[in-house]
Amino acid sequence: MTRPDFPGIGGAAKIAVNANVPASTLVFEELRARIVSLKLPPGTILNRADLAEAFGVSQSPIREAIQRLEEIDLVMSYRQSRTEVTRINRERLRYESFLRCGMECEVVDRLCRAPGADLTKAMGYLKMQEVLAGDTDQIELFRELDENFHEELFAAAGYEAIHRLVIAQSSQMARLRTLDLPRGDKMHSVVEGHRAVIDCITAGDRQGAADAMRVHLSGTIGRLDDIMQANDGYFT
């Protein structure tokens, strides 16, 4: 088990800039981002007092953020003991994969039936990914662009709120993708998947778009056994 390094995690200044957002939400979003990116890997012990000091807040928003992380199975708190980042739950992975695939296939279907939908931002993110594909030194930016691409598809279809729901319920899959992505061929595969989806949408090919999205989203879960074998300590 490891203890996290919190320098630069964000303190009172960051929360002041986001004055309209509850402190507990800022803490939750930052901790979730660090957990799904594996900067806080499974087994990491989270000390509430250390977190409160790092964020420049009282322990109340820390407690609320941890409760939200528990709800999505990213941490487990032991009474009067410790809070620990969980291992990746294989059964929840399958649930999350099913949920995300179903929602995203429906989104591309809606976009195919809305020829006026604005895909400009999604296509812009795709072009940036094409430039970065294969450069594993840019993996963090590539991962961010990946999420931005999918978010813009939801936005173009008018379902931003649904995207937030899907992301909130896909934390285990996010960790799995983090383990799978640092491969040059995986980056190219992501780009090819995004391109296939966009091409089908612009052609109005509803079945093709759904099939392309399904294939795109199934790549990582299809490699689950290999990923687990290479990272045994990260899984339940």
Side-chain angles (χ1 to χ4, degrees):
M1 297 179 183
T2 59
R3 291 182 64 84
D5 179 20
F6 291 124
I9 199 170
K14 179 177 181 180
I15 291 177
V17 169
N18 296 278
N20 294 325
V21 181
S24 60
T25 297
L26 292 172
V27 174
F28 166 78
E29 290 177 349
E30 179 65 29
L31 289 178
R32 180 190 177 279
R34 285 174 172 253
I35 292 171
V36 301
S37 67
L38 300 178
K39 292 176 181 176
L40 296 177
T44 299
I45 303 300
L46 301 180
N47 181 281
R48 298 188 184 194
D50 291 345
L51 287 171
E53 181 179 358
F55 282 101
V57 298
S58 68
Q59 289 202 28
S60 179
I62 300 298
R63 182 170 57 254
E64 293 173 16
I66 287 176
Q67 288 174 346
R68 291 179 63 183
L69 291 169
E70 287 178 322
E71 291 172 0
I72 55 176
D73 198 27
L74 285 182
V75 303
M76 174 70 73
S77 293
Y78 300 88
R79 187 180 297 274
Q80 297 181 339
S81 176
R82 68 190 188 280
T83 296
E84 182 177 333
V85 177
T86 62
R87 294 187 180 191
I88 301 172
N89 186 309
R90 179 167 185 160
E91 291 305 313
R92 188 172 175 93
L93 281 173
R94 302 202 180 279
Y95 159 81
E96 292 182 358
S97 177
F98 181 85
L99 173 67
R100 182 159 190 174
C101 187
M103 293 295 98
E104 299 223 21
C105 285
E106 179 64 22
V107 163
V108 297
D109 181 81
R110 294 294 181 95
L111 290 173
C112 286
R113 291 184 281 134
D118 185 3
L119 299 175
T120 303
K121 288 185 178 179
M123 295 175 71
Y125 289 131
L126 172 57
K127 289 179 181 178
M128 286 188 279
Q129 283 191 298
E130 289 174 338
V131 173
L132 297 177
D135 185 355
T136 54
D137 289 337
Q138 298 295 328
I139 200 71
E140 291 294 334
L141 177 56
F142 187 89
R143 183 184 296 111
E144 180 180 343
L145 293 171
D146 185 21
E147 286 301 329
N148 289 341
F149 174 84
H150 287 271
E151 181 179 5
E152 284 305 322
L153 293 183
F154 278 84
Y159 289 106
E160 298 96 328
I162 299 297
H163 178 262
R164 290 192 292 271
L165 173 64
V166 170
I167 291 301
Q169 294 297 319
S170 301
S171 296
Q172 305 300 319
M173 278 301 303
R175 290 201 284 179
L176 186 67
R177 287 195 303 274
T178 297
L179 289 172
D180 191 36
L181 191 54
R183 297 185 292 117
D185 61 330
K186 176 62 177 179
M187 296 172 77
H188 286 291
S189 176
V190 168
V191 169
E192 291 169 3
H194 288 178
R195 173 58 64 187
V197 168
I198 288 292
D199 287 347
C200 288
I201 293 174
T202 55
D205 181 358
R206 295 171 61 187
Q207 187 61 55
D211 289 345
M213 181 60 79
R214 189 173 293 107
V215 169
H216 171 59
L217 294 177
S218 67
T220 296
I221 198 70
R223 295 191 64 252
L224 177 58
D225 289 341
D226 290 338
I227 298 171
M228 288 183 65
Q229 185 175 359
N231 303 274
D232 181 60
Y234 279 12
F235 293 84
T236 55

